[in-house]
Amino acid sequence: RTLQPDADTTYDCDVLVIGSGAGGGVMAGELAEAGYDVLVIEKGPYCHGSDFTQREVDMLGKLYDAKGTLATQDGSIGILAGSCLGGGTTVNWAGAFRTPDYVLQEWAREHQAPQFTTLEFKESINAVARTIGVNTNYARHNGQNQALWDGSTKLGQEVKLIPRNEKGLTDSDSHFRSLGYSSLGDAHGIKQGTLNTYLLTAFEHGARILADTKVD
């Protein structure tokens, strides 16, 4: 349940979290669980369950920043950025890659951020992976991915499974019937983005959530 103010309203909180995706959503859950009074503000709408119609004509304009038309200043690169409760974790493809070590080392070296190469940071990543259910327990592949797997295997190329943050897929049929088009939202709660994990934890520990609210 999100806050629904119908007049000018003032809220007090210990921690104000702006944005509810992979950064803000995690912070909200952790801090609320730790006992802080958390207020989450999200520019986009709160959608869940059957709100995700799986129709591009409905969802692109509702779940994405600038209705899916966001681009670089010169217009050369399109930027599909989630703008809804859960942010990018609501509209991503569920691929859950860890940041490569060489990137962490670059951040530490070139940006004076040594914390990225510490054991504590690695343990934090492990904790997030557990919470969002990262796994490679696929029921089966879709047609194009199976063709890539078969072809690469025959050519002697190395193939690996992409870790994904999904759970509750019990057989190959339910996999495709339930998951649908991940980039248009998951109507069945299978993808474990912040919407189904950290934000839920935050709410259960008293955090308040304001959707459809732009911060100036």
Side-chain angles (χ1 to χ4, degrees):
R1 295 185 297 277
T2 58
L3 297 175
Q4 302 286 337
D6 56 8
D8 288 350
T9 306
T10 299
Y11 296 103
D12 293 315
C13 61
D14 297 329
V15 180
L16 175 65
V17 178
I18 300 173
S20 60
V26 174
M27 291 303 300
E30 292 286 335
L31 290 168
E33 193 171 22
Y36 292 93
D37 179 14
V38 174
L39 175 64
V40 180
I41 294 185
E42 168 56 53
K43 180 171 66 173
Y46 169 39
C47 298
H48 70 287
S50 60
D51 295 335
F52 297 116
T53 66
Q54 294 286 286
R55 290 170 50 82
E56 194 174 68
V57 69
D58 300 330
M59 296 289 94
L60 200 62
K62 194 167 190 176
L63 303 180
Y64 286 85
D65 201 1
K67 300 185 183 300
T69 65
L70 192 66
T72 53
Q73 191 169 15
D74 62 2
S76 62
I77 300 175
I79 302 171
L80 285 174
S83 184
C84 54
L85 200 66
T89 75
T90 297
V91 299
N92 70 352
W93 286 353
F97 295 99
R98 289 172 182 261
T99 309
D101 287 341
Y102 74 88
V103 175
L104 297 176
Q105 291 162 8
E106 179 183 309
W107 291 350
R109 183 178 64 255
E110 298 186 14
H111 301 282
Q112 294 75 54
Q115 65 270 22
F116 287 115
T117 56
T118 63
L119 179 60
E120 288 81 3
F121 181 76
K122 183 173 290 187
E123 289 174 346
S124 294
I125 294 296
N126 290 338
V128 171
R130 287 192 298 271
T131 299
I132 66 174
V134 176
N135 70 90
T136 55
N137 301 323
Y138 296 9
R140 65 182 172 98
H141 300 297
N142 59 17
Q144 63 266 39
N145 285 344
Q146 188 64 54
L148 280 169
W149 182 280
D150 294 342
S152 293
T153 301
K154 288 179 181 178
L155 291 169
Q157 297 170 342
E158 182 183 11
V159 290
K160 293 181 179 179
L161 294 173
I162 294 174
R164 303 196 304 215
N165 61 319
E166 301 164 351
K167 72 175 185 179
L169 298 171
T170 56
D171 57 68
S172 59
D173 290 331
S174 70
H175 186 138
F176 293 102
R177 183 171 64 250
S178 299
L179 191 57
Y181 300 100
S182 280
S183 58
L184 302 179
D186 165 26
H188 299 274
I190 289 170
K191 185 168 62 174
Q192 301 303 294
T194 59
L195 192 59
N196 293 320
T197 56
Y198 286 99
L199 289 173
L200 185 59
T201 296
F203 178 77
E204 289 172 344
H205 286 81
R208 292 159 295 164
I209 299 172
L210 263 174
D212 291 304
T213 304
K214 187 174 182 293
V215 174
D216 291 321

